[in-house]
Amino acid sequence: MCIICGQRLDEESGVTFGYIHKELRLNNDEINRMRNKEMKELLQRKKLILVLDLDHTLLNSTELRYLTVEEEYLRSQTDSLEDVTKGGSLFLLNSVHTMTKLRPFVHSFLKEASKLFEMYIYTMGERRYAFEMAKLLDPKKEYFSSKVISRDDGTQKHQKGLDVVLGKESAVLILDDTENAWTKHKENLILMERYHFFASSCRQFGFNCKSLSELKNDESETDGALTTILKVLKQVHHIFFNEVSGDLVDRDVRQVLKTVRAKVLEGCKVVFSRVFPTKFQAENHHLWKMVEQLGGTCSTELDQSVTHVVSTDAGTEKSRWALKEKKFLVHPRWIEASNYFWKRQVEENFTVEQTKVEQTKKQ
């Protein structure tokens, strides 16, 4: 119902913003008015909007029943929920039957990012879980306030969308480990390397290996994923406000992000060898597209302008050519790592070995 004239509003129009106020629904004209007002104020304060995923991006959670025998030691190492502000990282939340591990550097990340961005949490988890995680990340309510969006607030099932964020798409960046959750907003997305601390997380994504918790190890504070991405965010923010011409309201952070990303593999020309399935259209493969997004070029033919051959087998004809011509021969993980770290990775760390079949042939 309109608070001015009392007229009943069409249920089909507008969007519900239940995370701001229970059952609050705004029509499209009001949403646009509020977005424009919000953006004007933010840009005057030299701020953009940052939407943050929770699981595998800022933290990792596991249900208590899924803790392995090798993880039982964690129960005696949890930090107190009474004083989260002391900067603990491992918490036992009996209210949601969960143990949560905050990603290394997350407290510093949020503090630094909050100076440049208005921040939202957006998770596919339930509202109760989202609020519990927000308490761990932001106990003083300095960063998110009521801007905690859960799957109950979304307008599409199994999808996230910026229609429930009060900001113009041209000023929003997204951090998330799941690209498919943002099918309409891939240009806003910075894809995060997944944080797998618990064994259940590794199993969920099909990794048959020891988890960080089982190895009694963790990501690096100084050069882990959040440290890397904070540098990218600062760079994009600086370019947006200081190097792009035209009025602030007409600038588009998606174009800035695209430009920064295209510097990563600039000057690299890549040929793939036995990476794609037979008869697969190479140009449609996600690794081919990734190289192009990172500023490199791809080819199916070998010539002296090629800088890298990407393969999982050093015994293929193209792989042997690369070694003979002193070109880089790298594993496909080299592309993925460069993408996650926004920096061309040292090729020697992604060497390729011969398969057993090729070794047998030589013998």
Side-chain angles (χ1 to χ4, degrees):
M1 183 179 287
C2 176
I3 61 172
I4 298 172
C5 68
Q7 182 180 343
R8 282 196 171 276
L9 298 176
D10 182 3
E11 290 270 334
E12 297 299 315
S13 68
V15 177
T16 300
F17 289 83
Y19 67 93
I20 296 175
H21 193 281
K22 191 178 179 182
E23 296 182 9
L24 171 65
R25 189 175 183 84
L26 303 174
N27 67 28
N28 294 331
D29 289 341
E30 180 62 11
I31 291 169
N32 289 333
R33 186 194 71 78
M34 289 183 70
R35 279 199 177 124
N36 289 332
K37 180 174 178 287
E38 173 90 351
M39 284 319 305
K40 189 176 179 182
E41 291 173 359
L42 281 178
L43 293 174
Q44 283 175 349
R45 289 159 46 208
K46 284 204 164 185
K47 279 194 169 188
L48 297 170
I49 290 174
L50 181 62
V51 177
L52 297 164
D53 172 51
L54 285 177
D55 292 286
H56 304 109
T57 298
L58 298 182
L59 49 83
N60 190 203
S61 292
T62 185
E63 289 185 43
L64 296 176
R65 59 182 171 151
Y66 292 138
L67 284 174
T68 65
V69 175
E70 291 175 85
E71 291 178 311
E72 282 297 320
Y73 77 95
L74 294 170
R75 291 179 184 269
S76 63
Q77 296 193 3
T78 55
D79 296 294
S80 171
L81 288 169
E82 298 301 314
D83 193 2
V84 180
T85 56
K86 285 184 177 177
S89 67
L90 183 67
F91 299 96
L92 186 64
L93 297 102
N94 288 312
S95 60
V96 285
H97 312 293
T98 296
M99 185 177 285
T100 295
K101 172 69 174 63
L102 302 186
R103 197 168 200 163
F105 193 68
V106 71
H107 293 298
S108 299
F109 172 86
L110 293 175
K111 184 179 180 180
E112 290 297 310
S114 68
K115 298 172 185 175
L116 309 175
F117 298 89
E118 193 80 8
M119 299 191 296
Y120 286 74
I121 284 174
Y122 198 150
T123 176
M124 293 298 264
E126 295 177 352
R127 181 174 287 135
R128 185 182 176 193
Y129 172 76
F131 284 142
E132 290 296 333
M133 296 303 107
K135 285 180 198 173
L136 299 181
L137 294 165
D138 185 18
K140 295 180 181 177
K141 295 193 174 181
E142 298 172 285
Y143 308 134
F144 303 111
S145 186
S146 65
K147 298 187 291 293
V148 179
I149 304 171
S150 66
R151 70 180 179 206
D152 309 299
D153 304 302
T155 56
Q156 273 188 293
K157 205 171 183 181
H158 308 306
Q159 277 291 304
K160 294 179 178 179
L162 294 179
D163 51 350
V164 291
V165 174
L166 284 176
K168 292 176 73 174
E169 290 180 23
S170 58
V172 178
L173 291 177
I174 302 162
L175 287 195
D176 203 314
D177 66 284
T178 307
E179 187 175 16
N180 291 337
W182 295 96
T183 51
K184 292 182 180 177
H185 307 288
K186 289 187 178 179
E187 290 184 337
N188 301 79
L189 178 65
I190 295 176
L191 192 63
M192 291 293 294
E193 183 180 21
R194 286 194 175 106
Y195 181 47
H196 296 294
F197 183 76
F198 295 108
S200 63
S201 179
C202 293
R203 289 196 302 271
Q204 179 188 346
F205 288 90
F207 295 118
N208 187 22
C209 60
K210 295 279 188 184
S211 66
L212 288 169
S213 59
E214 290 173 319
L215 294 169
K216 298 187 178 180
N217 202 349
D218 207 350
E219 252 185 27
S220 167
E221 277 265 354
T222 53
D223 56 6
L226 289 177
T227 314
T228 300
I229 293 305
L230 180 61
K231 292 173 186 172
V232 175
L233 292 175
K234 285 181 175 180
Q235 184 183 5
V236 170
H237 181 276
H238 175 80
I239 293 171
F240 182 92
F241 283 103
N242 300 292
E243 296 181 19
V244 178
S245 57
D247 292 338
L248 278 176
V249 290
D250 297 325
R251 298 178 191 182
D252 195 328
V253 76
R254 292 168 293 193
Q255 291 305 313
V256 177
L257 192 64
K258 191 175 180 181
T259 303
V260 172
R261 184 181 272 127
K263 297 285 184 187
V264 176
L265 293 183
E266 191 175 32
C268 297
K269 185 174 181 180
V270 174
V271 167
F272 293 91
S273 179
R274 290 194 200 163
V275 174
F276 313 140
T278 310
K279 295 183 180 178
F280 189 90
Q281 196 72 31
E283 294 86 351
N284 293 330
H285 196 275
H286 77 279
L287 286 175
W288 183 294
K289 290 179 179 178
M290 193 177 284
V291 169
E292 291 182 334
Q293 287 171 352
L294 295 173
T297 56
C298 298
S299 175
T300 54
E301 303 297 326
L302 293 172
D303 60 50
Q304 285 305 313
S305 66
V306 171
T307 59
H308 294 73
V309 171
V310 177
S311 181
T312 56
D313 181 4
T316 70
E317 187 179 338
K318 288 176 180 175
S319 295
R320 291 199 301 271
W321 176 87
L323 295 171
K324 180 187 171 190
E325 298 295 326
K326 292 185 168 50
K327 306 291 185 179
F328 290 114
L329 174 62
V330 291
H331 194 277
R333 283 193 295 268
W334 173 76
I335 300 170
E336 293 169 339
S338 298
N339 183 56
Y340 282 129
F341 288 97
W342 289 71
K343 183 180 179 182
R344 177 173 161 179
Q345 297 298 290
V346 177
E347 284 82 1
E348 285 73 20
N349 294 337
F350 298 87
T351 54
V352 183
E353 295 179 359
Q354 283 189 346
T355 63
K356 290 180 181 178
V357 176
E358 289 294 330
Q359 289 172 353
T360 305
K361 281 182 184 175
K362 288 188 175 181
Q363 290 171 2

